[in-house]
Amino acid sequence: MSPTHPPLAGRLDGLRSSAIRDLLKLTARGDVVSLAGGLPDVELMPRERLAAAAEAALSHNRCLQYTESPGWMPLREVLADRESTRLRRSVELGEIFVTHGSQQALSLLADVLLDPGALVVVEDPAYVGALQAFRTADARIVTVPLDAEGMCTDDLAALLAGGARPAVVHTVSNFHNPGGVTLSSQRRRELARLAEEYGFWVIEDDPYGELWFDSPAPAPVASHSRNVIRLSSASKIVSPSLRVGWMVAPEPVCRAVELLKQGADLCGSALAQQIAADVLADVPWLTDHVDHVREVYGERAKALVHAMRTRIGDRVHCRDASGGMFVWAQFTDGTDVDRLLPEALAAGVAYVPGSAFAVGGGYRDSMRMCFTTFDAATLDLAVDRLASALG
Ligand SMILES: Cc1ncc(COP(=O)(O)O)c(C=O)c1O
């Protein structure tokens, strides 16, 4: 007799690991150059500076206790300062809420802002972590396209004019995951204006904003309206192991998130948050550190795009990467990248097919490649292998 167990909650029915994800497990093979991962480079993470911050934090016992649900106060103070500079206004402590990475902010906000069946607008292609959070909250998801200037706000305006009434619009405003693009200044203003006219929340999901290569990203969408909840994170600039993300949101939103966070995990780690506070407050050090990460990632991004253009030529359209961690490439010759993946893996290279980020199907001609963890020579090799799989 096969073992049985009581049922799981119905809301899990639609949440399954995709076939592509399962295939990508094969990329753990040592001989595959995996551009699929999406991880920051551990070699660039500041181990010694973090060790010094950990030692200082452990020189007393204050960080060994539970802390307040909205976060360890010294970190919230540092974040209020940082965000005041970003948003060009004085951000109050009551507007700052520290989360277990910005992913937890997405999950808690989905529960705080969405009743079952509420409408959420996302970009297509979308950040899958946000989709997961919104789907778990039983939201109805509709999409607007992404072009070289980010979310197409004209399409959003048309949806709204047609009667759609979203509770939330989610945008990855800087160096999009997976699309690589950045929302233009003019569209930022337009998105903020629409949020106020139609009364919806914008979640501005911004873990990549500081990783610009040539010039800084425009002022955040959140600098144009208080309807915008801004998410940011230490994951890509320091280390994801800290699990330190934060939101800037109106106080009633923070208080509601606090109630849910108490049910989820009571509070974050005071120790990790003190380490984050120490390194984020050390502005001269942080500036040098982030400059270095930017420089290395910028060189790698250029090497990957150059290799794609020279080896694969006009069979593929590759956007220039101006920041972040990803290059989005679209084949123009009818290549089906889902079908290509087993051959690419056999040739020793992996990528994430665009269909993994498609909300309603599509993007079988596109792929996301992450350039962060390989030097130019290895990226060249990866593209050679891709070219041989293409035949
Ligand atoms: C757009 C976006 N938002 C949020 C996250 C979550 O990051 P973290 O929870 O490490 O802050 C990621 C991670 O890749 C991301 O790409």
Side-chain angles (χ1 to χ4, degrees):
M1 220 169 76
S2 65
T4 57
H5 52 69
L8 304 179
R11 83 171 81 89
L12 284 163
D13 287 352
L15 300 174
R16 290 213 172 78
S17 171
S18 74
I20 286 165
R21 293 253 165 142
D22 295 341
L23 197 53
L24 287 173
K25 286 188 188 139
L26 299 176
T27 62
R29 243 175 49 203
D31 56 336
V32 173
V33 180
S34 178
L35 308 178
L39 304 179
D41 189 351
V42 78
E43 296 294 333
L44 297 175
M45 291 177 201
R47 200 161 47 86
E48 284 175 14
R49 183 65 186 81
L50 288 171
E55 195 172 347
L58 288 168
S59 64
H60 50 78
N61 59 15
R62 291 193 291 281
C63 308
L64 298 179
Q65 194 50 278
Y66 290 104
T67 185
E68 295 167 74
S69 305
W72 175 245
M73 190 52 89
L75 176 60
R76 292 174 67 209
E77 285 167 359
V78 173
L79 296 175
D81 261 10
R82 269 175 80 84
E83 293 298 331
S84 298
T85 310
R86 296 275 176 297
L87 298 179
R88 298 163 198 183
R89 69 173 176 82
S90 171
V91 172
E92 305 298 321
L93 278 173
E95 298 175 82
I96 299 281
F97 198 103
V98 182
T99 50
H100 195 80
S102 47
Q103 186 62 39
Q104 190 188 35
L106 287 167
S107 157
L108 295 175
L109 283 171
D111 285 336
V112 160
L113 305 178
L114 303 173
D115 288 315
L119 192 64
V120 174
V121 175
V122 300
E123 293 152 330
D124 195 17
Y127 168 52
V128 288
L131 284 180
Q132 219 164 356
F134 299 141
R135 284 185 175 139
T136 308
D138 269 339
R140 278 183 304 129
I141 294 175
V142 296
T143 62
V144 291
L146 199 66
D147 67 15
E149 288 184 42
M151 173 188 280
C152 296
T153 45
D154 282 353
D155 292 70
L156 175 63
L159 257 178
L160 295 163
R165 290 294 172 266
V168 166
V169 174
H170 173 262
T171 180
V172 180
S173 49
N174 294 321
F175 318 120
H176 195 270
N177 176 11
V181 293
T182 291
L183 191 64
S184 68
S185 298
Q186 194 252 324
R187 289 191 187 174
R188 286 171 195 239
R189 285 202 192 80
E190 176 64 359
L191 178 56
R193 191 191 67 71
L194 290 169
E196 297 202 343
E197 182 180 342
Y198 289 92
F200 56 81
W201 293 104
V202 173
I203 299 179
E204 181 178 27
D205 187 359
D206 181 23
Y208 302 108
E210 288 190 57
L211 296 180
W212 49 268
F213 302 151
D214 300 320
S215 53
V221 185
S223 62
H224 302 297
S225 167
R226 298 285 178 108
N227 281 17
V228 183
I229 297 169
R230 177 177 145 74
L231 311 187
S232 192
S233 172
S235 292
K236 317 296 190 214
I237 54 168
V238 182
S239 164
S241 70
L242 293 172
R243 303 314 294 135
V244 166
W246 58 91
M247 71 171 96
V248 183
E251 288 202 33
V253 175
C254 291
R255 297 294 71 79
V257 168
E258 182 173 354
L259 290 175
L260 292 190
K261 184 159 166 88
Q262 284 165 359
D265 61 5
L266 297 180
C267 65
S269 155
L271 180 57
Q273 293 185 19
Q274 172 53 34
I275 294 170
D278 185 332
V279 301
L280 294 177
D282 187 353
V283 174
W285 170 83
L286 186 66
T287 306
D288 282 355
H289 167 69
V290 177
D291 278 353
H292 179 57
V293 175
R294 267 204 291 266
E295 194 184 313
V296 175
Y297 284 1
E299 282 165 9
R300 292 175 182 175
K302 285 190 178 86
L304 175 60
V305 172
H306 179 74
M308 288 292 286
R309 288 182 183 154
T310 50
R311 309 281 159 88
I312 304 182
D314 54 13
R315 295 175 69 181
V316 73
H317 173 73
C318 225
R319 286 189 184 129
D320 277 316
S322 53
M325 301 188 357
F326 306 106
V327 166
W328 180 257
Q330 185 177 19
F331 283 86
T332 51
D333 62 351
T335 296
D336 178 331
V337 303
D338 290 46
R339 292 177 63 174
L340 181 68
L341 188 56
E343 281 159 64
L345 285 169
V349 61
Y351 54 81
V352 187
S355 59
F357 310 99
V359 181
Y363 298 115
R364 291 185 71 116
D365 59 354
S366 301
M367 59 172 67
R368 187 194 78 175
M369 293 176 290
C370 177
F371 48 75
T372 51
T373 52
F374 300 108
D375 60 17
T378 311
L379 292 166
D380 268 357
L381 175 68
V383 175
D384 271 350
R385 290 176 174 180
L386 183 63
S388 77
L390 280 162

